[in-house]
Amino acid sequence: MTKTLCAWTIICFCTLKLCAQTYQAGNVYVGTKNYIEYDAGNLPIIITAPHGGYLEPLTIPDRTCADCTTIMDANTQELARQIDTALRQEFGCIPHIIINRLHRKKLDANRDMVEAADGSAEAEVAWREWHQFIHAAKKDMVQRYGRGLLIDLHGHGHTVQRLEVGYLLDDPELRLSDSLLSTPSYRNRLSIKNLVLHNNNGFNAAQLMRGSFALGTLLATNGFPAVPSQQDVAPLVGESYFNGGYNTLRHGSRDSTTIDAIQIECNYTGVRNTYANRKRFATELAAALKVYLGKHYFASTNFGCRTATVDKNEGIGISVYPNPVHQSMTIQFEDSMDGVFTVTLYNLQGQIVYQDSMDRQVAMPIRTNLPPLSKGLYLLSLTNKKHTLIKQTKVFIE
Ligand SMILES: [Zn+2]
């Protein structure tokens, strides 16, 4: 094993067992065989992408269960990564991102284990790791903030081009009156039950789903039609609508915890289909989440990146943008450091695919143009002139 491969494998891409369940914001962790990826964060936001994976290992048979869906949600992995970048830019802090890299033919990470893995022991391991990573992220949010929000990100193929925002109520229920929806029999079935019971303004369930400061309303106001929202309170009879699935149910606050969950099913055209549209949506979602969390969850929109404890191992902050990277990237890190720095990119096999040294002025970002590289995940390593490792982080080349 080469030295570079060793660094990649041990420092960044260790298995759950090797990592001993401690996660540092800004680092990337993966489960067995790299099937599940967890980008640990420090914001009270988790983005999960269960249906955006591409891997089709021969060691996992294709799922053939009756009525099982095996079609992936196109570009939702890419969308999750662009939302990651947008949230970092909006908040100056890092969200928790959890991605199922397996194709839905191999694992459906939004079903119970029997349907998700369809009998494959290898897929069952990945399924467990998916939920272990989500639990780790939830635990981190509770420790830092006491509460938080999980967005389960999907893509739908329905005719009406709008976001479908799911809180676990189905479309006939959403057509009920605001006053009825806010009674305990409906309120207590919501994936944001904790938010309904504890929000800054005493808003009821209907206000939180389709009032002025509902997530759907904020997105619709910024150019992304959504249902439910103030503009579109419920699907009409005969219109298709996804109201939330296994992840929203299991990881939201309906049955326990102070972590709320919302499923966002994205339409394709204008949201998922191109890099530019994904970027536009990611930017607006990040802005909407800032308003949403500041309005309902915390004292203001400026709630910072709280730390549970002073963590000396977390090291310096580093940001790479844009990320996903497109031909060139900018790297910014701690203001007081200057001198010659070396940027190295490793691929998933631990091979160096790019390396360059640059002289950095205090507080100035490093900008670098990249050669053509295949699309995918890379490890960026930053070292100083004494070859001491400053920081490693992941970048996605698009
Ligand atoms: Zn989906």
Side-chain angles (χ1 to χ4, degrees):
M1 186 181 277
T2 65
K3 194 176 169 187
T4 52
L5 180 58
C6 218
W8 176 249
T9 308
I10 293 173
I11 296 173
C12 216
F13 267 43
C14 45
T15 67
L16 283 174
K17 284 172 194 153
L18 286 174
C19 284
Q21 315 304 313
T22 56
Y23 303 102
Q24 308 292 343
N27 285 354
V28 181
Y29 303 87
V30 291
T32 306
K33 294 194 173 183
N34 299 344
Y35 292 156
I36 309 294
E37 172 185 334
Y38 172 35
D39 304 1
N42 52 18
L43 276 173
I45 301 170
I46 303 172
I47 307 289
T48 50
H51 293 157
Y54 295 97
L55 300 179
E56 298 185 33
L58 296 173
T59 46
I60 301 178
D62 284 357
R63 297 166 62 244
T64 54
C65 36
D67 301 326
C68 282
T69 306
T70 56
I71 298 169
M72 72 180 294
D73 294 356
N75 296 343
T76 48
Q77 178 177 163
E78 291 80 355
L79 183 58
R81 295 187 192 284
Q82 288 180 255
I83 292 169
D84 180 9
T85 302
L87 287 168
R88 289 177 192 228
Q89 287 170 348
E90 182 70 49
F91 289 92
C93 316
I94 306 168
H96 300 265
I97 307 289
I98 300 161
I99 290 169
N100 170 24
R101 294 184 186 166
L102 283 170
H103 194 283
R104 200 175 182 183
K105 286 179 200 165
K106 306 294 181 179
L107 175 71
D108 187 333
N110 192 31
R111 295 290 187 275
D112 64 53
M113 194 177 76
V114 172
E115 186 176 338
D118 197 22
S120 161
E122 194 170 319
E124 287 178 1
V125 169
W127 184 88
R128 286 195 193 90
E129 290 173 343
W130 167 263
H131 292 290
Q132 283 164 359
F133 280 137
I134 296 175
H135 280 296
K138 290 169 71 175
K139 185 177 161 193
D140 181 274
M141 298 203 300
V142 169
Q143 284 175 341
R144 290 177 200 261
Y145 298 90
R147 61 191 313 185
L149 175 65
L150 179 149
I151 304 274
D152 195 39
L153 191 69
H154 294 262
H156 70 76
H158 299 157
T159 308
V160 183
Q161 294 299 296
R162 62 186 169 187
L163 305 168
E164 296 174 11
V165 188
Y167 302 94
L168 297 176
L169 296 186
D170 60 25
D171 44 303
E173 291 170 324
L174 286 178
R175 288 191 282 273
L176 298 173
S177 69
D178 284 359
S179 55
L180 199 54
L181 284 185
S182 299
T183 57
S185 56
Y186 292 97
R187 175 190 79 196
N188 291 342
R189 290 174 39 224
L190 293 177
S191 56
I192 56 164
K193 184 176 89 179
N194 188 63
L195 180 62
V196 178
L197 297 175
H198 308 283
N199 69 80
N200 289 341
N201 302 285
F203 286 160
N204 62 31
Q207 287 172 309
L208 289 167
M209 287 190 290
R210 57 198 187 197
S212 307
F213 289 91
L215 188 59
T217 305
L218 295 170
L219 288 165
T221 302
N222 290 331
F224 292 93
V227 66
S229 65
Q230 197 166 56
Q231 296 89 340
D232 188 357
V233 295
L236 300 175
V237 174
E239 288 180 344
S240 300
Y241 168 72
F242 286 131
N243 66 335
Y246 183 86
N247 290 327
T248 311
L249 179 59
R250 175 165 171 178
H251 293 293
S253 59
R254 190 192 80 165
D255 297 327
S256 63
T257 82
T258 55
I259 307 298
D260 301 299
I262 300 175
Q263 176 173 289
I264 301 183
E265 287 272 359
C266 300
N267 47 296
Y268 186 68
T269 305
V271 180
R272 291 185 278 139
N273 56 337
T274 66
Y275 176 86
N277 284 336
R278 290 195 296 276
K279 186 174 181 185
R280 201 167 58 89
F281 175 68
T283 302
E284 294 302 339
L285 177 62
L289 284 173
K290 191 162 194 179
V291 173
Y292 191 77
L293 291 173
K295 184 77 179 174
H296 305 307
Y297 284 75
F298 301 108
S300 75
T301 53
N302 193 20
F303 49 84
C305 339
R306 290 184 204 167
T307 49
T309 52
V310 176
D311 188 351
K312 293 190 171 65
N313 293 326
E314 199 157 312
I316 66 157
I318 181 170
S319 58
V320 178
Y321 51 92
N323 194 0
V325 175
H326 222 48
Q327 294 161 354
S328 70
M329 62 182 172
T330 303
I331 304 163
Q332 180 62 292
F333 52 102
E334 203 164 89
D335 281 353
S336 60
M337 302 172 80
D338 64 350
V340 175
F341 291 88
T342 300
V343 176
T344 308
L345 274 184
Y346 298 90
N347 64 15
L348 279 171
Q349 286 72 46
Q351 297 157 332
I352 294 175
V353 296
Y354 169 79
Q355 191 167 55
D356 196 14
S357 295
M358 280 150 279
D359 197 3
R360 188 230 192 190
Q361 308 292 311
V362 170
M364 292 300 290
I366 292 176
R367 289 196 182 83
T368 181
N369 291 317
L370 297 172
L373 292 170
S374 339
K375 177 177 168 176
L377 192 68
Y378 293 79
L379 176 70
L380 183 153
S381 177
L382 184 69
T383 51
N384 65 14
K385 64 184 172 191
K386 292 178 182 166
H387 308 292
T388 304
L389 179 68
I390 304 297
K391 189 78 177 179
Q392 289 186 314
T393 190
K394 54 93 196 180
V395 293
F396 195 81
I397 307 283
E398 187 162 275

Short mmCIF file of all heavy atoms in Angstrom, two decimals, residues 61-68 70 105 118:
data_model
loop_
_atom_site.label_atom_id
_atom_site.label_comp_id
_atom_site.label_asym_id
_atom_site.label_seq_id
_atom_site.Cartn_x
_atom_site.Cartn_y
_atom_site.Cartn_z
N PRO A 61 -26.79 -8.37 -5.13
CA PRO A 61 -27.74 -8.64 -6.22
C PRO A 61 -28.71 -7.47 -6.41
O PRO A 61 -28.99 -6.74 -5.46
CB PRO A 61 -28.51 -9.88 -5.73
CG PRO A 61 -27.76 -10.39 -4.55
CD PRO A 61 -26.97 -9.26 -3.98
N ASP A 62 -29.19 -7.30 -7.62
CA ASP A 62 -30.22 -6.29 -7.86
C ASP A 62 -31.46 -6.63 -7.05
O ASP A 62 -31.83 -7.81 -6.91
CB ASP A 62 -30.60 -6.26 -9.35
CG ASP A 62 -29.54 -5.57 -10.19
OD1 ASP A 62 -28.55 -5.07 -9.62
OD2 ASP A 62 -29.71 -5.55 -11.42
N ARG A 63 -32.12 -5.63 -6.52
CA ARG A 63 -33.36 -5.84 -5.76
C ARG A 63 -34.47 -6.25 -6.75
O ARG A 63 -34.67 -5.58 -7.77
CB ARG A 63 -33.76 -4.56 -5.02
CG ARG A 63 -32.74 -4.15 -3.97
CD ARG A 63 -32.94 -2.73 -3.46
NE ARG A 63 -34.22 -2.53 -2.82
CZ ARG A 63 -35.16 -1.72 -3.27
NH1 ARG A 63 -34.98 -1.05 -4.39
NH2 ARG A 63 -36.30 -1.59 -2.62
N THR A 64 -35.14 -7.30 -6.41
CA THR A 64 -36.19 -7.79 -7.31
C THR A 64 -37.52 -7.95 -6.59
O THR A 64 -38.44 -8.56 -7.09
CB THR A 64 -35.80 -9.15 -7.92
OG1 THR A 64 -35.49 -10.04 -6.85
CG2 THR A 64 -34.61 -9.04 -8.86
N CYS A 65 -37.62 -7.42 -5.37
CA CYS A 65 -38.84 -7.60 -4.59
C CYS A 65 -40.04 -6.99 -5.32
O CYS A 65 -39.91 -6.02 -6.06
CB CYS A 65 -38.68 -6.99 -3.20
SG CYS A 65 -37.69 -5.48 -3.12
N ALA A 66 -41.19 -7.62 -5.10
CA ALA A 66 -42.42 -7.15 -5.76
C ALA A 66 -42.71 -5.72 -5.31
O ALA A 66 -42.57 -5.38 -4.14
CB ALA A 66 -43.57 -8.06 -5.38
N ASP A 67 -43.09 -4.88 -6.25
CA ASP A 67 -43.45 -3.47 -5.98
C ASP A 67 -42.28 -2.61 -5.50
O ASP A 67 -42.49 -1.50 -5.01
CB ASP A 67 -44.59 -3.37 -4.95
CG ASP A 67 -45.84 -4.09 -5.43
OD1 ASP A 67 -46.08 -4.10 -6.66
OD2 ASP A 67 -46.54 -4.67 -4.58
N CYS A 68 -41.06 -3.15 -5.58
CA CYS A 68 -39.92 -2.33 -5.17
C CYS A 68 -39.56 -1.36 -6.29
O CYS A 68 -39.52 -1.73 -7.46
CB CYS A 68 -38.69 -3.19 -4.88
SG CYS A 68 -38.79 -3.99 -3.29
N THR A 70 -36.76 0.78 -8.19
CA THR A 70 -35.31 0.72 -8.35
C THR A 70 -34.76 1.89 -9.17
O THR A 70 -33.59 1.94 -9.48
CB THR A 70 -34.90 -0.60 -9.05
OG1 THR A 70 -35.61 -0.69 -10.29
CG2 THR A 70 -35.21 -1.80 -8.19
N LYS A 105 -31.02 0.24 -7.20
CA LYS A 105 -31.16 -1.18 -7.54
C LYS A 105 -30.56 -2.06 -6.44
O LYS A 105 -30.94 -3.22 -6.29
CB LYS A 105 -30.36 -1.50 -8.81
CG LYS A 105 -30.94 -1.02 -10.09
CD LYS A 105 -29.96 -1.41 -11.21
CE LYS A 105 -30.19 -0.59 -12.44
NZ LYS A 105 -29.05 -0.71 -13.37
N ASP A 118 -33.42 -6.20 0.40
CA ASP A 118 -33.97 -7.37 -0.30
C ASP A 118 -33.13 -8.62 -0.07
O ASP A 118 -32.84 -9.38 -1.00
CB ASP A 118 -34.09 -7.07 -1.80
CG ASP A 118 -35.03 -8.07 -2.49
OD1 ASP A 118 -35.86 -8.69 -1.79
OD2 ASP A 118 -34.91 -8.23 -3.72
#
